[in-house]
Amino acid sequence: MRSAATILLAFTAQWQDLEHLLPPPQSECVVIDSALDPSKPNYSNKKPTLYRERHGWCPYSERVWLALEHSNVPYDTIRIDNTGPGQKPPYFSGQTPQMRWPEGKTQGESMDLVREVNDRFNGDLYPSVDVSITVDKFRNIFPSKSRPSSRAAFLFGWSGEPLWRSEFERVLSETDALLGSTATNGPFFCGKSFTAADIAWAPFLERYAAQLPCLHAGLNPRDATKYPHLNKWFTAMETVPAYACRVQGNPSSWRKVLTMAGYGNGGVPPDVIDRMDDFDAEESRPQSEEERVMEQKLWDEYRSTRPWLALTPAAEAGKTLLNNRQAIVKDTLKRAASLEGKGIPLDEENLDRVMRALATILIYGTSADGKYNELEHASAEAASVNGVHEFARFLDERMCVPRDMSSMSAAAIKRLAALA
């Protein structure tokens, strides 16, 4: 990797200039999108292969993904279109998640897989029998009469209408009480340490925190007055590197799910657009210095065993743009008619320039991010390119997190989008 200080730029940055500032790509683990490549893969006889839902919507897939990331296990991934109109590949049957182990055995059921990951790789997710007991309590507390949906789990009844507010309040109160029973030992479900119990609950509570305020005004799972232990748990989860730096989705992605017909809501999405806009504004605010330092500390810890990651979450977002630039250009131009008049160039040459400018800002940084200050001038020049912030807004609207990138990296794009 060439030193950033050896490159002189106004805004003449080319993709190869950006590549020199980034670590080499990961070569050890494979990620296959089976909707784009349905051919049968060459399975590893050394690493497990995780079949997970393609878009990152499935909370059960998230459980297993988080266990693998927390355990720092090398694994391959095959993304399966399990909810949309696309076809599953011919070599796959059943539901996600599933794991194909190196010896050829295939296994399903999310918490069975979390246990197997822990046992095979000498993990720390089951330090006591209390963990399994707490995992089992999930079924008793979360709604039992909701319409099944991996995209909108435990949100809608069979009529397609959201569950009653009182039912959600019961779930939140009982969850808060369960956390309160171990609160003297720490903020997690089993005390001071992150365990499989947190893995069992996290994907669902994460979605509830984003979605419930849109379904029922004022219903906030992170309300420190009504649900003090739950609030502390959310804060504690954001200090778990594998969760915060990769697996956690972002609230705006979970809220977008509510506007999609036919996935739990019986084909009629609830009227939540106004509330969504209010929450999106909060997500787009600039980071405080304290928040930036804390985020970078987590990122450094997560990256310490993953040398293919960029130095900052924002730079990782820039790397994602660089690696996927051809597909992004194609996707943007396909939507040219709807983008007329929105400040985004709709010819390939100038669209590529805007993408390079956005990647430059993300990778080189700004005076506020404290990382690549010697290239602050190049970043400032890139910020003056017409359409760069409008393009960030388009990407923010199109992104699905955590499918496309981590919530930390996506937040860097969202903050730039707010400048459009």
Side-chain angles (χ1 to χ4, degrees), residues 66-74 114 117-118 121 123-125 242 306:
L66 179 52
L68 288 165
E69 285 289 329
H70 173 74
S71 302
N72 200 18
V73 175
V114 170
V117 167
N118 186 76
F121 300 103
D124 59 359
L125 294 172
R306 297 166 175 85

Side-chain angles (χ1 to χ4, degrees), residues 162-223:
L163 297 177
W164 288 357
R165 182 190 188 101
S166 59
E167 176 65 357
F168 290 130
E169 289 175 333
R170 178 196 64 78
V171 171
L172 297 177
S173 294
E174 291 184 15
T175 303
D176 189 73
L178 180 60
L179 284 161
S181 68
T182 60
T184 56
N185 298 323
F188 295 102
F189 271 96
C190 291
K192 66 179 181 180
S193 300
F194 171 77
T195 68
D198 301 289
I199 287 178
W201 291 72
F204 303 92
L205 290 173
E206 172 190 324
R207 288 155 177 77
Y208 264 22
Q211 294 167 336
L212 294 192
C214 292
L215 296 178
H216 295 285
L219 181 57
N220 181 9
R222 300 195 68 153
D223 187 325

Side-chain angles (χ1 to χ4, degrees), residues 13 33 61 64 72 101 121 127 137 195 206 217 238 251 293 352 389:
D33 186 337
S61 292
V64 188
N72 200 18
W101 299 105
F121 300 103
K137 289 181 180 179
T195 68
E206 172 190 324
E238 290 166 356
V293 170
D352 181 80
H389 296 119

Side-chain angles (χ1 to χ4, degrees), residues 150-341:
S150 63
R151 190 182 283 193
F154 300 107
L155 290 177
F156 299 99
W158 286 97
S159 67
E161 293 294 318
L163 297 177
W164 288 357
R165 182 190 188 101
S166 59
E167 176 65 357
F168 290 130
E169 289 175 333
R170 178 196 64 78
V171 171
L172 297 177
S173 294
E174 291 184 15
T175 303
D176 189 73
L178 180 60
L179 284 161
S181 68
T182 60
T184 56
N185 298 323
F188 295 102
F189 271 96
C190 291
K192 66 179 181 180
S193 300
F194 171 77
T195 68
D198 301 289
I199 287 178
W201 291 72
F204 303 92
L205 290 173
E206 172 190 324
R207 288 155 177 77
Y208 264 22
Q211 294 167 336
L212 294 192
C214 292
L215 296 178
H216 295 285
L219 181 57
N220 181 9
R222 300 195 68 153
D223 187 325
T225 301
K226 292 183 178 179
Y227 313 112
H229 306 298
L230 192 49
N231 176 264
K232 290 178 181 177
W233 176 84
F234 278 116
T235 301
M237 282 297 296
E238 290 166 356
T239 68
V240 177
Y243 179 70
C245 297
R246 186 60 193 102
V247 179
Q248 181 182 19
N250 69 352
S252 55
S253 287
W254 299 140
R255 288 192 288 270
K256 287 174 190 175
V257 170
L258 297 178
T259 66
M260 299 176 183
Y263 295 92
N265 55 38
V268 183
D271 186 12
V272 297
I273 299 298
D274 290 341
R275 293 177 193 165
M276 285 175 61
D277 290 343
D278 291 341
F279 293 118
D280 285 345
E282 166 62 19
E283 280 187 77
S284 301
R285 66 171 177 79
Q287 278 183 309
S288 69
E289 177 63 11
E290 182 181 1
E291 289 170 333
R292 188 197 66 78
V293 170
M294 181 177 296
E295 178 181 90
Q296 189 61 46
K297 181 179 179 181
L298 275 172
W299 185 260
D300 289 342
E301 182 177 348
Y302 180 68
R303 183 180 174 274
S304 66
T305 56
R306 297 166 175 85
W308 58 86
L309 295 176
L311 293 181
T312 68
E316 184 66 17
K319 189 179 81 170
T320 300
L321 293 187
L322 185 153
N323 290 340
N324 296 281
R325 58 190 184 273
Q326 292 178 342
I328 294 171
V329 166
K330 183 178 179 181
D331 179 69
T332 306
L333 294 179
K334 185 170 68 175
R335 289 164 171 76
S338 64
L339 293 174
E340 287 285 353

Side-chain angles (χ1 to χ4, degrees), residues 52-58 65 79 83 151 206-207 246-257 260 320 331 393-411 413-414:
R52 63 176 174 88
E53 184 270 321
R54 183 187 182 208
H55 298 287
W57 288 324
C58 173
W65 187 15
R79 299 197 324 219
T83 57
R151 190 182 283 193
E206 172 190 324
R207 288 155 177 77
R246 186 60 193 102
V247 179
Q248 181 182 19
N250 69 352
S252 55
S253 287
W254 299 140
R255 288 192 288 270
K256 287 174 190 175
V257 170
M260 299 176 183
T320 300
D331 179 69
R393 182 169 59 189
F394 168 72
L395 290 179
D396 178 51
E397 292 170 353
R398 290 286 297 152
M399 274 193 303
C400 179
V401 179
R403 179 194 66 187
D404 299 322
M405 62 183 69
S406 74
S407 60
M408 283 185 181
S409 296
I413 292 178
K414 184 178 285 292

